[in-house]
Amino acid sequence: MQRPALEAADCLQATSEVECEDMRKLGLNAPIAVIPHGVTIPAPQTASPNDSKTVLYLGRLHPEKGLSTLLYAWRDVEASLPDWSLRIVGPDPVGYRAQLKALSQQLQIQRVKYDAAVYGAENRQVLQEAALLVLPSPSENFGMVVGEALSCGTPVIATNGTPWAELKMRRAGWYCGTDASSIADALRSATSTHFKERQEMGERGREWMRMNYG
């Protein structure tokens, strides 16, 4: 239904190089401007840094987001991370939360918490309070939550199904495969990173967002 409109366009906008490549694979020949989403940079925190031990997923609860894979990865690392917990926060438009909770029980995961969606200032607070954000999606054209987390000074674990390969180069997070084993390895690396180093990664991420996406 949308293809005639796309083919009639004089110019198309992509939010990432990955999305641009996907457009070309679809046979769309118009010029493409790669213009990423902008990210609001919140004011720096005035409170003392909190050595949180929470890994956060923040976003829509849906099978296409890789959440079941994240649970398998968390099952594999949970026993070795007794001080850490996983928090899954977001809207549940298709009733997927119940399936995820059932899978958590089946995998005998002990430290996972599910919370409803948050917005505005509360959304930023949740990001700022987390030690790490994880985006396990097998495919994303942008992944807005990555930019939002980095703008809050929170390091990120993202899969190579997202267009955030610069995380590694910028030393602001971890970039891994989309399978449970790769995500588990990234979780082990991230949670074993000293609090001070994670703080510095967050600061680099925040500056990256300010310079390139603010």
Side-chain angles (χ1 to χ4, degrees), residues 16-29:
S16 66
E17 292 292 343
V18 172
E19 189 174 34
C20 178
E21 292 169 7
D22 287 342
M23 288 178 176
R24 290 295 184 228
K25 290 174 184 177
L26 289 171
L28 299 172
N29 297 315

PDB file of all heavy atoms in Angstrom, residues 16-29:
ATOM      1  N   SER A  16      19.104   6.071   9.449  1.00  0.00           N
ATOM      2  CA  SER A  16      20.417   5.460   9.635  1.00  0.00           C
ATOM      3  C   SER A  16      20.902   4.908   8.299  1.00  0.00           C
ATOM      4  O   SER A  16      20.120   4.729   7.359  1.00  0.00           O
ATOM      5  CB  SER A  16      20.353   4.328  10.669  1.00  0.00           C
ATOM      6  OG  SER A  16      19.559   3.256  10.173  1.00  0.00           O
ATOM      7  N   GLU A  17      22.198   4.620   8.219  1.00  0.00           N
ATOM      8  CA  GLU A  17      22.751   4.024   7.003  1.00  0.00           C
ATOM      9  C   GLU A  17      22.134   2.647   6.752  1.00  0.00           C
ATOM     10  O   GLU A  17      21.932   2.244   5.607  1.00  0.00           O
ATOM     11  CB  GLU A  17      24.271   3.907   7.118  1.00  0.00           C
ATOM     12  CG  GLU A  17      25.013   5.235   7.124  1.00  0.00           C
ATOM     13  CD  GLU A  17      24.939   5.959   5.793  1.00  0.00           C
ATOM     14  OE1 GLU A  17      24.602   5.320   4.771  1.00  0.00           O
ATOM     15  OE2 GLU A  17      25.221   7.174   5.778  1.00  0.00           O
ATOM     16  N   VAL A  18      21.838   1.929   7.823  1.00  0.00           N
ATOM     17  CA  VAL A  18      21.215   0.608   7.685  1.00  0.00           C
ATOM     18  C   VAL A  18      19.855   0.726   7.014  1.00  0.00           C
ATOM     19  O   VAL A  18      19.519  -0.047   6.108  1.00  0.00           O
ATOM     20  CB  VAL A  18      21.082  -0.071   9.068  1.00  0.00           C
ATOM     21  CG1 VAL A  18      20.251  -1.351   8.966  1.00  0.00           C
ATOM     22  CG2 VAL A  18      22.463  -0.381   9.646  1.00  0.00           C
ATOM     23  N   GLU A  19      19.067   1.698   7.444  1.00  0.00           N
ATOM     24  CA  GLU A  19      17.755   1.905   6.841  1.00  0.00           C
ATOM     25  C   GLU A  19      17.896   2.332   5.382  1.00  0.00           C
ATOM     26  O   GLU A  19      17.111   1.918   4.512  1.00  0.00           O
ATOM     27  CB  GLU A  19      16.965   2.941   7.630  1.00  0.00           C
ATOM     28  CG  GLU A  19      15.513   3.050   7.185  1.00  0.00           C
ATOM     29  CD  GLU A  19      14.694   3.976   8.048  1.00  0.00           C
ATOM     30  OE1 GLU A  19      15.238   4.994   8.550  1.00  0.00           O
ATOM     31  OE2 GLU A  19      13.497   3.702   8.242  1.00  0.00           O
ATOM     32  N   CYS A  20      18.904   3.141   5.097  1.00  0.00           N
ATOM     33  CA  CYS A  20      19.163   3.558   3.719  1.00  0.00           C
ATOM     34  C   CYS A  20      19.453   2.337   2.838  1.00  0.00           C
ATOM     35  O   CYS A  20      18.920   2.209   1.730  1.00  0.00           O
ATOM     36  CB  CYS A  20      20.344   4.533   3.692  1.00  0.00           C
ATOM     37  SG  CYS A  20      20.825   5.084   2.052  1.00  0.00           S
ATOM     38  N   GLU A  21      20.300   1.434   3.340  1.00  0.00           N
ATOM     39  CA  GLU A  21      20.619   0.222   2.586  1.00  0.00           C
ATOM     40  C   GLU A  21      19.370  -0.631   2.360  1.00  0.00           C
ATOM     41  O   GLU A  21      19.189  -1.207   1.280  1.00  0.00           O
ATOM     42  CB  GLU A  21      21.679  -0.582   3.339  1.00  0.00           C
ATOM     43  CG  GLU A  21      23.045   0.100   3.386  1.00  0.00           C
ATOM     44  CD  GLU A  21      23.995  -0.581   4.352  1.00  0.00           C
ATOM     45  OE1 GLU A  21      23.631  -1.665   4.876  1.00  0.00           O
ATOM     46  OE2 GLU A  21      25.090  -0.036   4.587  1.00  0.00           O
ATOM     47  N   ASP A  22      18.501  -0.702   3.360  1.00  0.00           N
ATOM     48  CA  ASP A  22      17.265  -1.478   3.216  1.00  0.00           C
ATOM     49  C   ASP A  22      16.374  -0.879   2.124  1.00  0.00           C
ATOM     50  O   ASP A  22      15.722  -1.612   1.369  1.00  0.00           O
ATOM     51  CB  ASP A  22      16.502  -1.526   4.548  1.00  0.00           C
ATOM     52  CG  ASP A  22      17.171  -2.432   5.562  1.00  0.00           C
ATOM     53  OD1 ASP A  22      18.002  -3.271   5.158  1.00  0.00           O
ATOM     54  OD2 ASP A  22      16.861  -2.299   6.760  1.00  0.00           O
ATOM     55  N   MET A  23      16.335   0.443   2.056  1.00  0.00           N
ATOM     56  CA  MET A  23      15.545   1.098   1.012  1.00  0.00           C
ATOM     57  C   MET A  23      16.074   0.739  -0.370  1.00  0.00           C
ATOM     58  O   MET A  23      15.301   0.477  -1.305  1.00  0.00           O
ATOM     59  CB  MET A  23      15.560   2.616   1.218  1.00  0.00           C
ATOM     60  CG  MET A  23      14.750   3.116   2.394  1.00  0.00           C
ATOM     61  SD  MET A  23      14.891   4.925   2.552  1.00  0.00           S
ATOM     62  CE  MET A  23      13.767   5.229   3.923  1.00  0.00           C
ATOM     63  N   ARG A  24      17.393   0.729  -0.509  1.00  0.00           N
ATOM     64  CA  ARG A  24      17.983   0.380  -1.793  1.00  0.00           C
ATOM     65  C   ARG A  24      17.691  -1.080  -2.154  1.00  0.00           C
ATOM     66  O   ARG A  24      17.440  -1.409  -3.324  1.00  0.00           O
ATOM     67  CB  ARG A  24      19.484   0.631  -1.766  1.00  0.00           C
ATOM     68  CG  ARG A  24      19.860   2.110  -1.723  1.00  0.00           C
ATOM     69  CD  ARG A  24      19.436   2.824  -2.980  1.00  0.00           C
ATOM     70  NE  ARG A  24      19.857   4.218  -2.999  1.00  0.00           N
ATOM     71  CZ  ARG A  24      19.075   5.225  -3.310  1.00  0.00           C
ATOM     72  NH1 ARG A  24      17.800   5.011  -3.604  1.00  0.00           N
ATOM     73  NH2 ARG A  24      19.531   6.460  -3.326  1.00  0.00           N
ATOM     74  N   LYS A  25      17.695  -1.949  -1.158  1.00  0.00           N
ATOM     75  CA  LYS A  25      17.384  -3.362  -1.403  1.00  0.00           C
ATOM     76  C   LYS A  25      15.950  -3.548  -1.884  1.00  0.00           C
ATOM     77  O   LYS A  25      15.648  -4.522  -2.579  1.00  0.00           O
ATOM     78  CB  LYS A  25      17.627  -4.184  -0.130  1.00  0.00           C
ATOM     79  CG  LYS A  25      19.090  -4.340   0.237  1.00  0.00           C
ATOM     80  CD  LYS A  25      19.248  -5.049   1.579  1.00  0.00           C
ATOM     81  CE  LYS A  25      20.709  -5.120   1.998  1.00  0.00           C
ATOM     82  NZ  LYS A  25      20.870  -5.739   3.343  1.00  0.00           N
ATOM     83  N   LEU A  26      15.075  -2.615  -1.504  1.00  0.00           N
ATOM     84  CA  LEU A  26      13.684  -2.661  -1.954  1.00  0.00           C
ATOM     85  C   LEU A  26      13.519  -2.127  -3.377  1.00  0.00           C
ATOM     86  O   LEU A  26      12.418  -2.128  -3.926  1.00  0.00           O
ATOM     87  CB  LEU A  26      12.796  -1.854  -1.007  1.00  0.00           C
ATOM     88  CG  LEU A  26      12.566  -2.446   0.384  1.00  0.00           C
ATOM     89  CD1 LEU A  26      11.845  -1.445   1.279  1.00  0.00           C
ATOM     90  CD2 LEU A  26      11.761  -3.744   0.298  1.00  0.00           C
ATOM     91  N   GLY A  27      14.614  -1.639  -3.958  1.00  0.00           N
ATOM     92  CA  GLY A  27      14.551  -1.127  -5.323  1.00  0.00           C
ATOM     93  C   GLY A  27      14.123   0.311  -5.426  1.00  0.00           C
ATOM     94  O   GLY A  27      13.727   0.769  -6.511  1.00  0.00           O
ATOM     95  N   LEU A  28      14.188   1.061  -4.323  1.00  0.00           N
ATOM     96  CA  LEU A  28      13.827   2.481  -4.350  1.00  0.00           C
ATOM     97  C   LEU A  28      15.037   3.287  -4.824  1.00  0.00           C
ATOM     98  O   LEU A  28      16.115   3.199  -4.239  1.00  0.00           O
ATOM     99  CB  LEU A  28      13.385   2.929  -2.955  1.00  0.00           C
ATOM    100  CG  LEU A  28      12.157   2.202  -2.407  1.00  0.00           C
ATOM    101  CD1 LEU A  28      11.923   2.569  -0.947  1.00  0.00           C
ATOM    102  CD2 LEU A  28      10.916   2.519  -3.241  1.00  0.00           C
ATOM    103  N   ASN A  29      14.848   4.071  -5.871  1.00  0.00           N
ATOM    104  CA  ASN A  29      15.975   4.715  -6.545  1.00  0.00           C
ATOM    105  C   ASN A  29      16.077   6.215  -6.315  1.00  0.00           C
ATOM    106  O   ASN A  29      17.028   6.840  -6.792  1.00  0.00           O
ATOM    107  CB  ASN A  29      15.897   4.439  -8.053  1.00  0.00           C
ATOM    108  CG  ASN A  29      16.009   2.957  -8.363  1.00  0.00           C
ATOM    109  OD1 ASN A  29      16.856   2.256  -7.813  1.00  0.00           O
ATOM    110  ND2 ASN A  29      15.134   2.465  -9.238  1.00  0.00           N
TER     111      ASN A  29
END
